[in-house]
Amino acid sequence: MKPRVRFAPSPTGQLHLGGARTALSNFLFTKSQGGSFLVRIEDTDLERSKTEHTDQICDSLKWLGLHWDEEMAYQSENGSSYEKGLDSLLESGKAYRCFASKEELDDIREGSDSFHYPGIWRDRQEKEIQREIDEGTPFTIRLRTPQTGNTEFNDLIYGSITVSNTEIDDFIIARSDGSPVYNFTNVIDDQAMGITHVIRGEDHVSNTSKQILIYEALGHDTPEFAHLPMILGEDKKRLSKRHGATGVDEYRRSGYQPGALLNYLALLGWNPGTEEEIFDLDELVNKFDLGKVQKKSAVFDHKKFNWVSSQHLMAQDSSDLLENVIEMDPRWGEDHDRSLRMIDLMKPRSNSLVDLIDRSGYLFGKPEEFNEAELAKVWKEDTPGIMKDLGTRLEPISDWASSKLESRFKEFMEETGLGFGRVMRPLRLALCGSLQGPSLFEIMELLGKDESLNRINYAISEF
Ligand code: GLU
């Protein structure tokens, strides 16, 4: 049977890295076996669920290329199936109404760290229950859970997980306002959608044994389960806002490529067992093995992510990148050929498109700022003289091509006996405002003769 999996976000915020990693793991697992990837929006919490979050989650999934099959499901539209499920459990006696008041339960709770419902309404007489119903006493619905034995499942990542049934009380499956709880709606929908594998964050492990008891009470087969270890920040604490960007959209706006984010997320706690680590989505589908995901939490290492990202950037077609760059900074659209060449030069040395844009600002005008420390390092007393001399040598060149410039520079350095550090470094600073960057001859060609000479003259007069 081909797998059917789902990603089931609650639309209470944007898609964050943890969610994206869950969605990706589901996607890779099912697609490698020709199965289906479904999305279900768990929007039963009416107060916290927002359409704008649903939209943003969907946009981020699409941007990542994690396209779902079939129509998206919404829990808010499934109210009647939850009611049916609750009715059938009440009818079969697998669930029962509990009329205990809040005060009564608070009294029991008092003084104990963990609350274990003592089954107050588990074995009441039918007429007693009917009387409360007739009197309109509010009630919750609780699952009649087994009091002996164990609930066991084989997690595809963690292996066998066993919980003693004595640890599971008759938990609530519908609140006193009639609304069903997460564990219940989740089971009803997974069953209705024919989900074969539930792949989600490790924070749901404690729900799984309860959900298995619900499946059993309903008389349904349980799906397989896999819980993904948590993602931690570099300080080994659970990934949160404190660690910087955690939303997929923030990465998108910073000019990271979706393929890079997917690649890195797949590598969290998993490796292909070979040296190669850079993969596109299709390759990941072929290689990823859920069973080989480590049980240990994985640290989101920004340095490694930037490396993965730079590899993806390098492999991408410059004209595709240019389109994205123009969206972020329209000036790049003014001279296509020049922009394309700049992207060729910069893509092997950038982590993201924003990084590329930020470090190419000198293309569009004289550098605004010069790094004081770098200036002190390379702009010596005799530098203005050297630059002046250089300017005079460059002036007569009519074919301002990088190859011509390069040979003219070689001549200049040979004739004057000046080294690279005395000529090229101050020149780079004058032209680009920083000491790092691609081939200076290429940059000069892109800037053009007039602009290059102007910047040299400006530096001579200013520094
Ligand atoms: N709505 C739940 C969440 O966002 C889904 C958990 C699950 O996949 O079962 O955490």
Side-chain angles (χ1 to χ4, degrees):
M1 190 171 65
K2 289 195 172 153
R4 283 173 67 82
V5 302
R6 82 318 190 257
F7 174 53
S10 305
T12 54
Q14 60 173 318
L15 184 67
H16 50 82
L17 295 176
R21 195 262 206 120
T22 300
L24 174 65
S25 305
N26 274 285
F27 186 92
L28 297 178
F29 173 80
T30 194
K31 293 297 168 188
S32 68
Q33 300 170 64
S36 309
F37 172 66
L38 312 179
V39 172
R40 179 174 73 235
I41 301 296
E42 303 216 314
D43 53 354
T44 45
D45 183 342
L46 295 177
E47 239 163 71
R48 293 176 60 222
S49 300
K50 298 254 154 38
T51 320
E52 70 204 62
H53 297 316
T54 302
D55 292 345
Q56 200 177 30
I57 291 169
C58 293
D59 281 351
S60 289
L61 286 174
K62 284 187 210 153
W63 177 71
L64 287 169
L66 301 179
H67 299 288
W68 53 93
D69 305 303
E70 303 177 17
E71 220 173 294
M72 209 163 69
Y74 289 86
Q75 284 201 321
S76 55
E77 292 172 3
N78 291 351
S80 63
S81 53
Y82 308 141
E83 259 172 53
K84 250 192 236 153
L86 289 169
D87 287 347
S88 84
L89 289 183
L90 283 174
E91 214 160 284
S92 65
K94 298 279 167 64
Y96 60 90
R97 295 178 182 81
C98 166
F99 298 92
S101 67
K102 186 174 175 300
E103 293 70 31
E104 198 176 341
L105 296 174
D106 281 348
D107 279 350
I108 300 168
R109 197 171 275 125
E110 202 161 288
S112 72
D113 299 338
S114 61
F115 175 77
H116 192 102
Y117 176 77
I120 312 170
W121 282 85
R122 185 176 165 111
D123 297 308
R124 297 291 179 107
Q125 300 279 320
E126 193 49 46
K127 60 175 193 283
E128 210 177 344
I129 294 166
Q130 196 52 53
R131 192 181 59 226
E132 297 292 342
I133 294 176
D134 292 345
E135 284 175 7
T137 313
F139 60 87
T140 57
I141 300 176
R142 291 180 179 271
L143 195 73
R144 189 186 302 276
T145 62
Q147 291 173 314
T148 55
N150 294 320
T151 298
E152 237 180 297
F153 65 98
N154 183 41
D155 189 283
L156 297 178
I157 294 172
Y158 284 89
S160 167
I161 295 183
T162 306
V163 179
S164 162
N165 288 335
T166 54
E167 283 173 30
I168 305 176
D169 67 358
D170 286 352
F171 57 91
I172 291 177
I173 52 175
R175 305 177 188 90
S176 55
D177 63 1
S179 62
V181 304
Y182 154 75
N183 275 330
F184 187 74
T185 56
N186 199 261
V187 166
I188 293 285
D189 288 332
D190 281 344
Q191 147 71 23
M193 290 165 74
I195 298 303
T196 57
H197 298 77
V198 170
I199 304 167
R200 58 187 173 194
E202 185 241 19
D203 49 339
H204 284 288
V205 166
S206 62
N207 290 321
T208 301
S209 37
K210 290 182 174 178
Q211 292 189 342
I212 289 173
L213 292 177
I214 297 175
Y215 278 104
E216 286 173 355
L218 289 164
H220 297 317
D221 291 338
T222 51
E224 301 264 6
F225 290 94
H227 292 90
L228 298 159
M230 294 286 104
I231 306 179
L232 306 179
E234 277 160 46
D235 56 0
K236 306 276 159 68
K237 302 248 167 64
R238 216 170 133 174
L239 198 66
S240 73
K241 278 267 161 272
R242 279 181 303 119
H243 299 101
T246 53
V248 169
D249 201 50
E250 293 167 77
Y251 284 88
R252 174 191 197 165
R253 280 186 276 116
S254 301
Y256 286 99
Q257 302 293 295
L261 194 53
L262 289 178
N263 191 164
Y264 184 68
L265 289 174
L267 292 177
L268 284 175
W270 169 80
N271 69 69
T274 56
E275 269 189 15
E276 178 61 21
E277 290 187 295
I278 302 301
F279 306 112
D280 65 19
L281 188 55
D282 287 341
E283 290 167 326
L284 285 174
V285 166
N286 287 328
K287 292 193 188 300
F288 185 75
D289 183 349
L290 191 67
K292 294 220 172 92
V293 170
Q294 288 168 19
K295 297 178 189 139
K296 226 174 88 212
S297 311
V299 171
F300 193 96
D301 174 350
H302 276 95
K303 213 163 130 207
K304 171 93 186 255
F305 169 60
N306 274 325
W307 175 76
V308 169
S309 173
S310 68
Q311 301 299 303
H312 276 263
L313 215 52
M314 206 149 47
Q316 260 193 280
D317 186 61
S318 294
S319 27
D320 290 344
L321 292 176
L322 179 56
E323 276 175 39
N324 294 330
V325 166
I326 293 172
E327 268 172 43
M328 295 176 168
D329 184 345
R331 291 178 303 172
W332 286 75
E334 288 159 14
D335 182 341
H336 246 256
D337 288 350
R338 188 172 87 140
S339 296
L340 218 47
R341 285 188 55 192
M342 190 64 184
I343 289 182
D344 279 337
L345 292 176
M346 286 303 287
K347 71 179 183 183
R349 38 181 75 237
S350 309
N351 292 331
S352 71
L353 292 183
V354 169
D355 184 34
L356 184 152
I357 292 170
D358 284 352
R359 293 200 286 123
S360 309
Y362 55 82
L363 195 61
F364 301 99
K366 185 165 63 58
E368 299 282 324
E369 279 170 33
F370 293 87
N371 180 318
E372 289 294 327
E374 288 185 343
L375 206 54
K377 201 156 65 182
V378 302
W379 202 269
K380 304 290 182 201
E381 232 163 79
D382 59 353
T383 306
I386 298 172
M387 290 295 116
K388 209 168 202 161
D389 201 5
L390 181 66
T392 319
R393 305 283 187 110
L394 296 174
E395 191 68 62
I397 302 179
S398 52
D399 179 8
W400 197 258
S402 63
S403 57
K404 293 273 160 35
L405 291 165
E406 186 165 1
S407 47
R408 183 54 61 92
F409 266 81
K410 274 203 188 119
E411 280 165 32
F412 178 72
M413 290 198 277
E414 267 162 30
E415 283 167 28
T416 56
L418 292 167
F420 178 86
R422 304 279 298 284
V423 183
M424 300 300 279
R425 279 161 66 87
L427 179 65
R428 183 184 287 281
L429 202 65
L431 296 176
C432 310
S434 125
L435 290 178
Q436 278 85 45
S439 154
L440 201 53
F441 308 116
E442 301 270 0
I443 299 281
M444 288 175 80
E445 184 181 329
L446 291 187
L447 290 177
K449 181 172 166 181
D450 289 351
E451 184 61 23
S452 302
L453 294 178
N454 282 344
R455 290 188 193 185
I456 295 174
N457 288 332
Y458 174 82
I460 294 171
S461 64
E462 286 296 308
F463 304 154

